[in-house]
Amino acid sequence: MTVNARELDTALRIIHAGFGADGVEYHSAWTTQREIHAARVADEAPDTVLLLEHNPEVFTAGRRTEPQDRPWDGSPVVEVDRGGKITWHGPGQLVGYPIVRLPEGVYVVDFVRRVEQVLIEVCAELGLVTDRVKGRSGVWVLAKHEGEQDRKVAALGLRFAQGVTMHGFALNCENDLGWTSRIVPCGIPDADVTTLSRELGRRVAIEEVLPIVERHLHLLTEPKGAATDRVRNKVAA
């Protein structure tokens, strides 16, 4: 992947790296992340968020992935250096990779809450109420009826190295959920996975979600003490 896509004129550099037929192969995106991360550590690049759609689809396994979580059908899996367990990326899912120096006094758990808050605000703007689940990262549609399970609409998997973040979030817009039958998503057997389209009962395409996500990304780089930092007192990491 070459970083020659549109860059938005904001204090936080936001790069559109590829969508649809121009979606980005996973290893290519990972290489670009590492390059930008090294530049950010050296203060040779600004805080950056890569926004993209992965194509072709791929399973990625974080450091805490258990053998029983992996695809039962032998599908290939990319081993990655982020936190979390196994997940899927592919068409219909908006992926964001923040490569951001942690603001002074903002710790790992604070930043995780900030990423979650970005996505909670995005879902709210689209008309979907979401929340956090204690002890589980990500953004969730909470079960309301007996027999229902909580449903994850956005997954997080981050890495923190030399004070700079990488990897990030995946927001399910209109992707095929058939992949969930081949793994234990995020290593959580007692919950479901969902999409914005399924929850809102209409097609919610990446093109609709993209500008909304961009409007809320400023939360990632605010100074310590931002409202979203105080969420860590209410939710276990």
Side-chain angles (χ1 to χ4, degrees):
M1 186 184 87
T2 57
V3 182
N4 57 7
R6 183 169 69 98
E7 298 186 17
L8 303 184
D9 186 18
T10 63
L12 176 67
R13 181 174 65 164
I14 301 173
I15 298 175
H16 289 185
F19 301 95
D22 296 321
V24 184
E25 189 271 332
Y26 186 83
H27 285 93
S28 177
W30 193 7
T31 296
T32 300
Q33 281 192 74
R34 290 194 290 260
E35 292 170 352
I36 297 175
H37 184 273
R40 185 67 190 96
V41 168
D43 285 327
E44 296 173 353
D47 290 329
T48 301
V49 180
L50 297 175
L51 294 174
L52 56 92
E53 186 177 8
H54 278 302
N55 194 2
E57 64 179 24
V58 62
F59 290 108
T60 69
R63 293 187 299 264
R64 296 192 299 111
T65 301
E66 302 289 343
Q68 65 270 19
D69 301 333
R70 294 173 178 271
W72 62 266
D73 63 354
S75 295
V77 176
V78 178
E79 309 292 332
V80 293
D81 58 352
R82 59 165 171 79
K85 297 191 177 185
I86 194 164
T87 192
W88 171 95
H89 298 304
Q93 181 188 71
L94 176 59
V95 174
Y97 293 130
I99 305 166
V100 171
R101 185 178 298 282
L102 290 174
E104 185 176 357
V106 173
Y107 302 107
V108 168
V109 68
D110 299 316
F111 192 81
V112 171
R113 297 286 89 83
R114 286 179 173 210
V115 176
E116 289 172 342
Q117 192 62 40
V118 167
L119 300 170
I120 288 170
E121 297 290 344
V122 169
C123 291
E125 193 164 330
L126 289 163
L128 178 64
V129 176
T130 57
D131 207 339
R132 299 173 174 86
V133 171
K134 185 176 181 179
R136 294 178 171 178
S137 66
V139 175
W140 298 80
V141 180
L142 302 184
K144 295 181 179 178
H145 306 290
E146 187 176 352
E148 281 188 349
Q149 293 182 319
D150 295 334
R151 304 179 295 282
K152 181 179 276 192
V153 71
L156 272 63
L158 293 154
R159 180 171 185 253
F160 300 83
Q162 297 178 274
V164 176
T165 70
M166 61 182 294
H167 296 289
F169 65 84
L171 177 58
N172 294 334
C173 298
E174 56 172 346
N175 45 288
D176 180 1
L177 293 176
W179 60 271
T180 62
S181 64
R182 289 186 273 165
I183 62 171
V184 180
C186 303
I188 303 174
D190 60 339
D192 287 330
V193 179
T194 191
T195 66
L196 292 169
S197 295
R198 174 174 288 189
E199 295 299 325
L200 293 172
R202 64 178 181 85
R203 183 184 180 220
V204 182
I206 286 177
E207 307 91 82
E208 178 182 355
V209 178
L210 190 59
I212 304 174
V213 169
E214 291 170 356
R215 282 200 294 274
H216 294 284
L217 286 174
H218 67 90
L219 292 173
L220 301 181
T221 55
E222 289 184 351
K224 179 183 178 182
T228 190
D229 292 337
R230 295 192 285 274
V231 174
R232 66 174 295 187
N233 299 320
K234 303 177 183 179
V235 181

